[in-house]
């Protein structure tokens, strides 16, 4: 895969209390590198409230995905199948302890594209909050694979 990429990160949260679903999608240009057996993806997102830009780094290797955010919100979240991890999620409104238990993780690597799908249970401050799914699509910027639906 070439260095210049487009990345789509789509998150779906189903809240336990009422079954309500919330979907968020971020599409951004970014940079891709493969080094020492690891995929590295760098991109920025601008929050809708106009606060400071958030710089993101995803690293992927052998079914382990780490997402690091720096800026208005910061965290380092770890996703690994059948494992639970905890991390502090720092926001302008205060800090939250996020617990993540991955129930399914699929990674499909192709020459010009990487597709990642993760299903997980989310806890905040030790209280179960939602069933979540995150879909990450990384593709070469000039591949012609990106389409808005």
């Amino acid at each position: 895969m070439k260095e210049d990429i487009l990345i789509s990160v789509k998150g779906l949260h189903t809240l336990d209390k009422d079954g309500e679903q919330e979907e968020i999608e971020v599409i951004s240009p970014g940079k891709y590198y493969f080094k020492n057996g690891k995929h590295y993806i760098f991109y920025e997102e601008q929050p809708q409230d106009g606060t400071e830009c958030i710089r993101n780094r995803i690293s992927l290797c052998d079914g382990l995905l780490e997402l690091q955010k720096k800026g208005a919100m910061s965290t380092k979240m770890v996703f690994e199948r059948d494992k639970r991890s905890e991390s502090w999620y720092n926001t302008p409104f205060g800090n939250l302890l996020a617990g993540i238990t991955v129930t399914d993780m699929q990674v499909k690597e192709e020459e010009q594209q990487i597709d990642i799908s993760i299903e997980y249970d989310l806890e905040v401050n030790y209280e179960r909050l939602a069933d979540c799914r995150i879909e990450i699509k990384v593709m070469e910027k000039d591949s012609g694979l990106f389409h808005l639906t």
Side-chain angles (χ1 to χ4, degrees), residues 3-149:
E3 180 180 317
D4 291 326
I5 59 162
L6 289 173
I7 181 168
S8 165
V9 180
K10 186 185 299 187
L12 177 65
H13 306 280
T14 304
L15 303 177
D16 285 344
K17 58 185 174 189
D18 55 14
E20 180 182 337
Q21 292 188 333
E22 177 183 44
E23 184 174 285
I24 299 170
E25 184 173 14
V26 173
I27 300 169
S28 180
K31 297 290 183 185
Y32 167 84
Y33 303 97
F34 185 79
K35 184 176 180 181
N36 297 328
K38 265 190 182 180
H39 301 275
Y40 292 95
I41 300 143
F42 297 88
Y43 67 99
E44 294 183 351
E45 60 184 290
Q46 181 65 50
Q48 292 179 345
D49 62 6
T51 57
E52 176 186 0
C53 184
I54 300 168
R55 295 174 316 282
N56 298 283
R57 182 191 82 187
I58 294 173
S59 61
L60 174 67
C61 179
D62 297 328
L64 173 70
L65 184 140
E66 293 180 358
L67 170 61
Q68 185 170 353
K69 293 179 169 285
K70 290 184 178 180
M73 290 186 273
S74 63
T75 190
K76 182 176 182 182
M77 302 170 84
V78 177
F79 298 88
E80 187 173 10
R81 181 189 292 235
D82 299 324
K83 299 252 176 127
R84 184 177 189 284
S85 65
E86 290 184 350
S87 60
W88 285 101
Y89 203 95
N90 305 311
T91 75
F93 309 106
N95 299 333
L96 305 168
L97 182 60
I100 297 168
T101 303
V102 176
T103 57
D104 189 37
M105 183 171 177
Q106 304 293 323
V107 178
K108 182 179 176 186
E109 297 179 41
E110 297 179 2
E111 187 175 330
Q112 296 180 317
Q113 181 171 322
I114 300 171
D115 292 324
I116 305 161
S117 176
I118 304 170
E119 293 181 14
Y120 61 98
D121 297 327
L122 176 64
E123 297 174 5
V124 174
N125 297 330
Y126 298 107
E127 290 190 32
R128 190 167 181 343
L129 181 67
D131 291 325
C132 302
R133 171 190 293 251
I134 187 169
E135 294 178 1
I136 303 169
K137 295 187 181 299
V138 180
M139 62 211 78
E140 289 183 4
K141 190 174 183 179
D142 58 358
S143 67
L145 296 171
F146 180 79
H147 303 287
L148 290 174
T149 55

